[in-house]
């Protein structure tokens, strides 16, 4: 079984000379295998296509994909028209359970949810006529989805939704946080949600003036406050620190005790504590996606990291993601790059003190700590954007900085923007070390202001790395990146640090990412919004122990070596705490 997918946004038949048609061997021998549709976009006949792949190579805009599907796939659940994305399978919302979907962006997760919520009737890949619900039931006969879809067909499902991107909320709603939340308070649970998500102090703030982290917590509260048959939350962690992530996860678990909850989450330590079961989603983003049956959360995450699904006998990645069991160190081989002194910075209501330390050539340093504790202030002090109390730093380094919140207001294309920053755009180093691993190829011709949050994040990281600097400071690069993209990010930043003998500072709240990417860490503690202290850099073991002891959370290792959050007060939790081993136990 083979499918041909035409990415219509990338198909510009007036600009390319329609080489896909000219060179298709089937067209040359007289068949109409590729033709232009009424909209001047390529239409490929999957019946006639022999899968040679010539059109894929000839298209200068990467608009065509021809893919052989795994044998076991039969009829799709839904297809977005002829040559559109094809979805196989659906996740199953289950009463009393939190169900995770684990997979890359663009693999059909939102499409599944639109189907499960009754917003879209699946077409089973049939476009000629409207598919009846009876035909749909037949595809799911004998599965747990059968009864569920019967409800959907009767339009009996009320869904509460937390969308992936929250920046549209201030555009769609005007008023205060209290106004918005009181409208959604259908369960009478608002006070509890406000307490647990620490929203009390911002209730009278205008939605327009919230930071991303505040908006994210309001969006989670608004979703969970509803009285719905089924809750869907598409990524809860962007812009939240680890305390806030755990608080949101605990609230979701509470709701899941009595209603089905489906969640997409790429912070795997959080997904692991949050979900009971997961469906792995694999395939090729924007081409086809397969949603597997449910798996226990431990097994599902481990299979995903392994890149191999034993039950389905499918390998979808040619390498496994592994965690080092012992704290890693390369300290001995690094030379000093820059020493920052003991210093402080006092604002009206906040004071940061920094103990002082050194940054080494070629290392990636992790910066961890809650929101509002002074991490960005520290970055600004190093960058010289802010002066410490008592005068400027004696030693100067040049800094390239990617802020936590990235916005796009330019209609220039991604390529145009990057070329303006770097003269090395065409070098093979830049192509191999930046463009390819950040998967920017397909969006180089897109205007920056049309990019999705995840695309914009990758462009902002590339832009930051394109500048010449001694030190690169990258604030929350994981926001809106899927697990594959996070793994690629680890590789890109490590190579960048070593290749350029510079320092890379990464502020992030995804513990797995921090573990994989950092050679040492700086730990920020204190009272958010009041006083913070930057301690370190420490070795991974000492730093993680200091950070996690403040958080009161311990991690054990499962058989595969993956760290998992211990249940509070479990035997292992108490044992590890008494030994002071919070992470590399
Ligand atoms: P995810 O939620 O996993 O990121 P989506 O379900 O949003 O993925 O989309 C999967 C793919 O389906 C997208 O990459 C896009 O190519 C395609 N798609 C989504 N919505 C539409 C639509 N309305 N029309 C045509 N194609 C669509
Ligand atoms: P983090 O990066 O850890 O989230 P920040 O360094 O952004 O924390 O902020 C720490 C505290 O300093 C916050 O309470 C913030 O409101 C305050 N702050 C940051 N910049 C300024 C400023 N220019 N003037 C006054 N207060 C500030
Ligand atoms: Fe023609 Fe199919 Fe070959 Fe494309 S892959 S050139 S459509 S035969």
């Amino acid at each position: 079984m083979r499918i041909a997918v035409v990415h219509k946004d990338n198909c510009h038949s007036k600009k390319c000379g329609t080489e896909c048609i000219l060179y298709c061997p089937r067209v040359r021998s007289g068949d109409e295998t590729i033709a232009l549709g009424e909209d001047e976009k390529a239409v490929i006949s999957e019946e006639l296509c022999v899968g040679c792949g010539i059109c894929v190579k000839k298209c200068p805009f990467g608009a065509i994909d021809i893919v052989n599907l795994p044998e076991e796939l039969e009829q799709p659940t839904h297809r977005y028209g002829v040559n559109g994305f094809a979805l196989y399978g659906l996740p199953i919302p289950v009463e009393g359970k939190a169900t995770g979907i684990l997979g890359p962006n663009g693999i059909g997760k939102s499409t599944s949810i639109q189907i499960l919520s009754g917003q879209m009737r699946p077409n089973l890949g049939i476009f000629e006529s409207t598919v009846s619900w009876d035909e749909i039931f037949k595809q799911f006969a004998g599965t747990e989805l059968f009864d569920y879809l019967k409800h959907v067909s009767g339009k009996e499902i009320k869904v509460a939704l937390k969308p992936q991107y929250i920046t549209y909320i201030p555009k769609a709603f005007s008023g205060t946080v209290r106004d918005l939340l009181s409208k959604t308070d259908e369960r009478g649970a608002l006070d509890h949600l406000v307490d647990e998500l620490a929203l009390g102090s911002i209730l009278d703030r205008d939605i327009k003036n919230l930071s991303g982290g505040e908006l994210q917590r309001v969006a989670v509260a608004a979703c969970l406050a509803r009285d719905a048959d089924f809750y869907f939350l598409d990524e809860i962690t962007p812009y939240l620190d680890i305390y806030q992530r755990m608080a949101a996860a605990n609230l979701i678990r509470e709701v899941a005790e009595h209603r089905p909850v489906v969640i997409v989450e790429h912070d795997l330590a959080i997904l692991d504590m949050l979900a009971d079961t997961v469906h792995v989603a694999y395939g090729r983003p924007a081409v086809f996606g397969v949603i597997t049956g449910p798996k226990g959360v431990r097994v599902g995450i481990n299979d995903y990291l392994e890149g191999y699904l034993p039950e389905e006998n499918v390998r979808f990645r040619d390498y496994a993601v592994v965690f080092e069991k012992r704290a890693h160190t390369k300290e001995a081989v690094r030379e000093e790059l820059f020493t920052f002194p003991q210093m402080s910075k006092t604002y009206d209501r906040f004071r940061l003190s920094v103990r002082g330390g050194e940054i080494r050539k070629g290392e990636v340093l992790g910066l961890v700590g809650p929101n509002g504790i002074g991490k960005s202030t520290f970055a600004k002090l190093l960058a010289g954007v802010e002066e410490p109390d008592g005068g400027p730093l004696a030693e100067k380094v040049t800094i390239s900085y990617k802020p936590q919140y990235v916005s796009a207001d330019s209609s220039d294309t991604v390529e145009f923007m990057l070329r303006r920053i770097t003269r090395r755009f065409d070098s093979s180093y830049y192509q191999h070390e930046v463009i390819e691993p950040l998967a920017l190829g397909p969006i180089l011709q897109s205007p920056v202001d049309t990019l999705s949050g995840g695309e914009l994040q990758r462009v902002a990281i590339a832009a930051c790395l394109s500048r010449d600097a001694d030190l690169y400071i990258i604030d929350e690069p994981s926001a809106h990146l899927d697990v594959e993209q996070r793994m690629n990010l680890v590789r890109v930043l490590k190579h960048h640090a070593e290749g350029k003998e510079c320092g890379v500072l990464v502020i992030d709240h995804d513990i797995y990412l921090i573990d994989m990417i950092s050679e040492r860490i700086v730990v920020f503690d204190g009272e958010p919004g009041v006083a913070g202290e930057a301690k370190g850099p420490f070795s991974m073991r000492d730093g993680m122990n200091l950070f996690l002891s403040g958080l009161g959370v311990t991690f054990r290792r499962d058989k595969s070596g993956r760290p998992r959050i211990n249940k509070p007060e479990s035997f292992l939790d108490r044992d590890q705490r008494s030994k002071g081993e919070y992470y590399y136990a």
Side-chain angles (χ1 to χ4, degrees):
M1 175 70 179
R2 175 182 312 122
I3 58 169
V5 170
V6 177
H7 306 289
K8 291 200 172 190
D9 290 349
N10 293 352
C11 177
H12 310 288
S13 61
K14 290 220 170 80
K15 291 192 197 161
C16 69
T18 58
E19 290 183 23
C20 57
I21 300 179
L22 288 180
Y23 287 92
C24 171
R26 298 289 311 208
V27 174
R28 291 168 85 104
S29 63
D31 281 329
E32 222 183 44
T33 306
I34 315 187
L36 289 186
E38 282 175 8
D39 56 359
E40 305 280 322
K41 311 277 181 189
V43 180
I44 302 177
S45 159
E46 288 172 355
E47 285 74 34
L48 297 176
C49 168
V50 291
C52 67
I54 290 174
C55 56
V56 178
K57 291 202 191 85
K58 284 291 173 191
C59 177
F61 304 114
I64 302 177
D65 275 298
I66 308 277
V67 176
N68 289 320
L69 296 177
E71 263 171 39
E72 58 283 0
L73 296 183
E74 290 169 1
Q75 191 171 27
T77 307
H78 186 75
R79 195 142 185 214
Y80 283 113
V82 175
N83 299 145
F85 174 84
L87 173 71
Y88 295 82
L90 283 174
I92 309 171
V94 179
E95 202 68 42
K97 279 196 176 161
T99 305
I101 313 177
L102 176 52
N105 287 328
I107 208 78
K109 299 180 299 289
S110 313
T111 304
S112 313
I113 298 308
Q114 284 184 45
I115 296 172
L116 293 178
S117 60
Q119 291 168 42
M120 188 167 80
R121 187 193 293 199
N123 62 18
L124 308 182
I126 298 165
F127 317 122
E128 299 76 29
S129 56
T130 308
V131 174
S132 71
W133 276 109
D134 281 339
E135 285 171 89
I136 297 165
F137 297 151
K138 227 184 275 166
Q139 196 191 40
F140 293 99
T143 73
E144 286 162 289
L145 271 169
F146 184 82
D147 286 338
Y148 184 86
L149 289 171
K150 284 239 150 166
H151 285 299
V152 174
S153 70
K155 293 201 171 36
E156 294 162 30
I157 303 283
K158 183 177 166 202
V159 180
L161 187 99
K162 205 297 286 173
Q164 180 178 23
Y165 297 119
I166 48 177
T167 42
Y168 85 92
I169 297 176
K171 292 174 197 144
F173 182 89
S174 60
T176 64
V177 173
R178 191 189 300 278
D179 297 338
L180 182 123
L181 290 181
S182 53
K183 283 202 177 109
T184 62
D185 185 19
E186 298 167 351
R187 294 196 296 124
L190 201 53
D191 289 347
H192 177 53
L193 293 168
V194 165
D195 275 354
E196 295 298 314
L197 292 169
L199 295 173
S201 61
I202 60 163
L203 279 177
D204 292 312
R205 290 255 295 277
D206 199 308
I207 293 279
K208 275 201 295 295
N209 299 331
L210 299 185
S211 72
E214 289 163 343
L215 203 54
Q216 185 73 271
R217 283 179 288 141
V218 170
V220 169
C223 172
L224 297 181
R226 295 218 178 261
D227 187 12
D229 300 306
F230 147 47
Y231 294 76
F232 174 63
L233 297 102
D234 194 349
E235 280 199 282
I236 55 163
T237 59
Y239 316 127
L240 299 192
D241 65 30
I242 190 158
Y243 295 84
Q244 297 162 338
R245 288 171 192 218
M246 292 180 67
N250 286 329
L251 288 172
I252 293 169
R253 286 212 60 85
E254 282 174 24
V255 171
E257 275 170 25
H258 51 93
R259 294 286 160 80
V261 175
V262 175
I263 174 141
V264 173
E265 184 48 61
H266 306 291
D267 178 333
L268 295 185
I270 296 295
L271 180 68
D272 190 32
M273 70 170 277
L274 171 55
D276 300 293
T277 55
V278 297
H279 295 264
V280 173
Y282 69 94
R284 172 102 67 98
V287 178
F288 78 102
V290 185
I291 313 263
T292 66
K295 302 168 189 294
V297 66
R298 182 184 65 79
V299 171
I301 293 178
N302 285 351
D303 287 356
Y304 189 77
L305 293 173
E306 186 62 36
Y308 175 67
L309 304 170
E311 260 177 77
E312 290 78 8
N313 190 21
V314 170
R315 174 160 290 286
F316 59 89
R317 198 189 315 107
D318 58 11
Y319 64 93
V321 175
V322 282
F323 291 88
E324 293 183 54
K325 288 198 183 162
R326 318 239 337 255
H328 33 278
T329 172
K330 275 197 182 171
E331 288 183 34
V333 296
R334 302 276 185 223
E335 284 173 38
E336 182 191 312
L337 173 73
F338 167 65
T339 303
F340 54 91
Q342 183 175 7
M343 57 186 164
S344 65
K345 175 76 195 169
T346 311
Y347 291 125
D348 286 353
R349 299 197 186 151
F350 179 81
R351 183 166 194 274
L352 171 71
S353 18
V354 176
R355 282 195 184 170
E358 61 158 26
I359 298 170
R360 297 171 182 156
K361 288 182 184 168
E363 79 175 344
V364 181
L365 264 185
L367 268 55
V368 294
N371 283 337
I373 201 74
K375 299 184 297 302
S376 312
T377 305
F378 175 68
K380 285 180 200 152
L381 291 175
L382 296 188
V385 176
E386 291 276 12
E387 276 185 14
D389 301 339
L393 290 185
E395 202 177 342
K396 291 265 182 278
V397 281
T398 51
I399 299 214
S400 178
Y401 179 52
K402 185 205 80 72
Q404 183 177 23
Y405 301 114
V406 285
S407 59
D409 40 21
S410 159
S411 58
D412 291 340
T413 65
V414 171
E415 179 170 339
F416 185 84
M417 189 198 92
L418 292 176
R419 279 187 186 278
R420 236 180 12 212
I421 303 174
T422 177
R423 275 179 276 126
R424 291 188 299 268
F425 186 88
D426 293 309
S427 71
S428 72
Y429 179 86
Y430 193 81
Q431 292 293 318
H432 282 116
E433 297 291 338
V434 179
I435 300 290
E436 277 171 31
L438 292 173
L440 298 182
I443 54 168
L444 284 177
Q445 299 315 315
S446 305
V448 174
D449 57 6
T450 63
L451 301 178
S452 73
E455 291 168 340
L456 198 57
Q457 182 69 263
R458 287 179 283 131
V459 170
I461 295 165
C464 176
L465 298 182
S466 300
R467 294 185 203 105
D468 282 324
D470 304 311
L471 202 56
Y472 294 79
I473 304 181
I474 315 219
D475 197 345
E476 206 175 336
S478 72
H480 299 308
L481 297 194
D482 63 36
V483 175
E484 304 294 316
Q485 292 164 342
R486 288 173 203 222
M487 298 310 154
N488 290 336
L489 176 76
V490 169
R491 191 160 66 87
V492 170
L493 296 186
K494 282 185 168 178
H495 282 192
H496 190 79
E498 295 217 315
K500 293 213 166 319
E501 295 212 316
C502 58
V504 174
L505 269 53
V506 177
I507 302 172
D508 211 282
H509 305 284
D510 176 339
I511 283 281
Y512 287 180
L513 180 88
I514 285 291
D515 177 13
M516 283 186 189
I517 208 165
S518 323
E519 224 160 277
R520 297 187 299 156
I521 45 181
V522 179
V523 181
F524 288 72
D525 60 14
E527 192 179 341
V530 180
E533 187 175 13
K535 300 172 179 169
F538 295 106
S539 69
M540 289 306 288
R541 171 174 241 118
D542 291 348
M544 282 295 216
N545 282 339
L546 177 63
F547 173 52
L548 294 174
S549 62
L551 190 63
V553 169
T554 56
F555 282 74
R556 67 188 178 284
R557 298 293 169 137
D558 74 359
K559 275 189 230 136
S560 74
R562 178 165 65 86
R564 304 188 73 198
I565 294 177
N566 282 322
K567 281 220 158 55
E569 293 305 319
S570 62
F571 171 75
L572 279 178
D573 183 51
R574 277 184 288 143
D575 182 53
Q576 286 180 226
R577 263 200 264 193
S578 71
K579 292 180 182 146
E581 289 292 0
Y582 285 75
Y583 196 76
Y584 299 100

